[in-house]
Amino acid sequence: MIQLSLLGSVISVLGSRSFAKALALIPTPDETEGPFYPVKDQNDKDADLTQIEGHKGVAQGQYIIVSGQVTDVTGRPVENVTLDIWQADANGRYHHPRDPNKAHLDENFQGWALIQTDDNGVFRFKTVMPGAYPASGTWIRPPHIHLKISKQGYRALTTQMYFPGEKLNKTDLLLNAKSATEKSAMIAKNISQQGNLPIYEYNIVLDLLRN
């Protein structure tokens, strides 16, 4: 009875909508780093992965914008968070010496970025829609983007961002190991179009570092 009374007091103070929103802020689910994290350093790791400094050519494929906000579990924006981003090119190839995929490697695709959130926890980068690729003889991975997110005072997060409406999402072994709530948190939303650029929103929730 005491717990219910306290709960009622909290709801009355915050308002039912605010309280429900607070409950909904679960940390973004963890996911495996995968075998193709970059092993060779490169000079250009900026927020535009569609071109590499010093290259005359540009990346192949459908260009997209990914933007979002990093918050903590209380809903507070987290500034100056480091996002370490890597992905396959439009053909499904990684810039990694041990990638066994025989698809053509796009030498003009940057493939890796290190960016930070602004004072409001907001980030944005331009890239290409990653291609699907075979993970085994019976498993084709859907388009996805890898992210490592770190900030002092918060639990480090490694995850993967998926795209809405992809048929291969339904058969992906990693994504389908998640609950419905976790899947929803890991699939970006197609929110608008900027000329020929689809814009995807992917918000990230960091857990507080616990002693």
Side-chain angles (χ1 to χ4, degrees):
M1 292 295 292
I2 293 174
Q3 288 178 333
L4 289 174
S5 177
L6 289 172
L7 182 60
S9 299
V10 171
I11 293 175
S12 65
V13 171
L14 295 178
S16 59
R17 180 178 297 178
S18 296
F19 185 70
K21 182 179 179 181
L23 287 179
L25 289 177
I26 64 168
T28 298
D30 289 288
E31 190 50 274
T32 177
E33 178 181 295
F36 303 127
Y37 181 78
V39 294
K40 184 179 179 181
D41 199 12
Q42 59 192 53
N43 293 326
D44 193 353
K45 295 193 284 281
D46 68 3
D48 185 354
L49 287 82
T50 65
Q51 55 184 353
I52 300 174
E53 184 179 358
H55 285 221
K56 293 182 179 180
V58 294
Q60 305 166 3
Q62 171 65 60
Y63 291 4
I64 62 173
I65 298 290
V66 178
S67 65
Q69 185 181 42
V70 178
T71 64
D72 63 22
V73 290
T74 71
R76 185 180 69 86
V78 187
E79 64 180 7
N80 298 326
V81 173
T82 299
L83 287 88
D84 189 345
I85 303 159
W86 71 103
Q87 65 167 88
D89 63 25
N91 303 314
R93 277 287 300 272
Y94 286 89
H95 284 277
H96 195 284
R98 292 194 298 273
D99 184 356
N101 192 353
K102 300 300 182 183
H104 173 72
L105 177 66
D106 186 353
E107 297 288 356
N108 292 311
F109 177 56
Q110 184 174 300
W112 185 17
L114 279 174
I115 63 174
Q116 287 192 307
T117 60
D118 66 13
D119 291 345
N120 295 310
V122 174
F123 66 90
R124 179 183 174 96
F125 61 94
K126 182 181 179 182
T127 187
V128 301
M129 175 64 77
Y133 61 86
S136 71
T138 57
W139 176 21
I140 306 296
R141 297 235 54 212
H144 61 278
I145 295 176
H146 298 263
L147 302 102
K148 286 185 183 181
I149 303 103
S150 57
K151 165 79 174 183
Q152 187 174 6
Y154 296 86
R155 191 174 69 83
L157 171 69
T158 298
T159 193
Q160 295 181 25
M161 184 197 97
Y162 298 85
F163 292 87
E166 292 289 336
K167 292 182 179 179
L168 289 170
N169 286 350
K170 297 178 181 179
T171 56
D172 187 65
L173 299 183
L174 294 179
L175 185 59
N176 282 285
K178 306 296 185 184
S179 69
T181 300
E182 289 172 327
K183 287 180 187 178
S184 178
M186 298 176 77
I187 298 175
K189 295 178 175 61
N190 189 345
I191 58 170
S192 62
Q193 189 91 5
Q194 180 180 313
N196 294 325
L197 292 175
I199 299 178
Y200 292 92
E201 181 182 69
Y202 187 68
N203 295 318
I204 297 166
V205 179
L206 294 181
D207 200 2
L208 300 173
L209 191 62
R210 306 180 192 282
N211 297 325

